[in-house]
Amino acid sequence: ETILSNKIKKLNFSKLSKARTLFKRLLIIETDPPQIDVRKNNNSIFLLSRIDKLISLGALDEAEALLSKIKPVDRSIFLRLKKVALLTGRINNLCNVIATRPKITEDIPIRIICFSRLGDWNTAAVVLSSASALQMIHPALEELLMFYLDPDLMENTIFRNSHINLNPTSFYISELAGIKSKIDTLPPPYLYSDVNKKHAPLRRKITAAEILVHSKGINASRLFNIYRNNSAAGSGGVWERMVSIQNLD
């Protein structure tokens, strides 16, 4: 199990599309786990390595499906669950885990988000205020959390994207605040929302889908559906590819 896990972690991104497709199939295949390394305390490292690799590819739906089958949720599983939940925007299950097992994480920002999401706004505000007084949160993230709790209070605030460290938590709130990073600077996991949001700008949606198809984060059929079901808003680049696909039909 340890040997296979290490090989998955170290495996480089293949330039061959069929090799990437095969690799993803191996990551999501349902089969008996390899022999457990009794020297390790964690007997799910092979599964965790598969989930980590799926997340890195941008295959968040598949990672979420694997995570949903794991009971009970320990801290190592919770870290992956948190990452997937924030990147997909589907945080209800994550917050329910925190509600039933509050000691599972000391992550202050995610606790603030989930207290608010579960209707306990006052507790969320107290935690944020206390963490701010003790300087336990980066100022840029603190501003985002203030926006999350009270958008009206931060209505005229100009958020500076360059000051915000990219991570699933800051990304989740930035999306709510309408703060967008340049798409060519984002790793595949952070492109999931652009593909799945109904009202995402079309050029951005197509670009995100093309990158995720290349990484095998999504199936090519998703990209082709976007090509076929929309109208080109310009010429060259993504629009030329869109028209070319439509002309094949």
Side-chain angles (χ1 to χ4, degrees):
E1 185 178 40
T2 302
I3 294 173
L4 284 175
S5 299
N6 290 334
K7 287 187 178 297
I8 289 175
K9 292 176 184 177
K10 295 177 181 178
L11 192 63
N12 294 325
F13 188 78
S14 175
K15 295 181 180 180
L16 301 176
S17 177
K18 289 186 177 180
R20 296 195 299 272
T21 299
L22 177 60
F23 180 52
K24 184 181 176 182
R25 288 178 182 172
L26 292 174
L27 292 176
I28 62 178
I29 193 171
E30 293 187 11
T31 184
D32 293 332
Q35 183 176 354
I36 294 174
D37 188 343
V38 295
R39 297 170 297 176
K40 302 290 184 178
N41 292 326
N42 187 352
N43 60 4
S44 60
I45 56 173
F46 177 61
L47 177 59
L48 292 179
S49 65
R50 291 165 59 197
I51 292 172
D52 288 340
K53 186 62 72 170
L54 285 169
I55 293 173
S56 71
L57 298 177
L60 301 184
D61 289 333
E62 291 84 350
E64 186 178 51
L66 287 178
L67 286 165
S68 68
K69 298 177 180 179
I70 304 174
K71 305 294 181 194
V73 175
D74 60 21
R75 288 189 173 226
S76 60
I77 298 299
F78 180 83
L79 289 174
R80 278 81 177 176
L81 185 65
K82 179 181 70 173
K83 184 179 292 187
V84 171
L86 291 169
L87 291 173
T88 61
R90 298 189 286 265
I91 68 170
N92 286 346
N93 184 45
L94 176 76
C95 293
N96 288 334
V97 172
I98 292 179
T100 56
R101 299 177 59 193
K103 293 184 179 180
I104 198 168
T105 181
E106 288 83 35
D107 186 326
I108 293 174
I110 196 61
R111 291 173 71 86
I112 292 170
I113 290 170
C114 283
F115 280 137
S116 177
R117 184 62 172 252
L118 294 169
D120 195 351
W121 188 93
N122 289 334
T123 299
V126 169
V127 172
L128 176 57
S129 177
S130 301
S132 175
L134 296 172
Q135 298 182 340
M136 298 174 68
I137 302 179
H138 189 280
L141 182 55
E142 181 183 339
E143 282 190 348
L144 286 175
L145 288 166
M146 289 174 65
F147 168 84
Y148 183 80
L149 293 182
D150 194 344
D152 292 336
L153 179 65
M154 307 294 289
E155 184 177 4
N156 297 320
T157 301
I158 299 175
F159 298 102
R160 298 187 178 182
N161 212 11
S162 59
H163 293 174
I164 302 172
N165 181 38
L166 181 65
N167 59 60
T169 303
S170 64
F171 177 79
Y172 173 76
I173 309 175
S174 295
E175 286 285 296
L176 296 177
I179 304 171
K180 289 288 187 181
S181 300
K182 291 183 178 180
I183 197 163
D184 56 357
T185 66
L186 292 174
Y190 292 85
L191 301 176
Y192 179 93
S193 63
D194 284 311
V195 174
N196 289 277
K197 277 189 175 179
K198 184 176 181 181
H199 300 295
L202 185 56
R203 181 193 291 272
R204 189 176 179 93
K205 183 189 287 282
I206 294 172
T207 303
E210 289 176 342
I211 295 172
L212 284 173
V213 166
H214 181 69
S215 71
K216 300 304 176 183
I218 63 173
N219 293 327
S221 59
R222 295 278 302 280
L223 174 60
F224 289 145
N225 285 336
I226 297 174
Y227 282 149
R228 293 185 176 111
N229 297 326
N230 294 279
S231 300
S235 59
V238 297
W239 310 122
E240 183 177 350
R241 292 191 288 275
M242 174 187 283
V243 172
S244 297
I245 294 298
Q246 291 175 348
N247 288 338
L248 293 175
D249 292 338

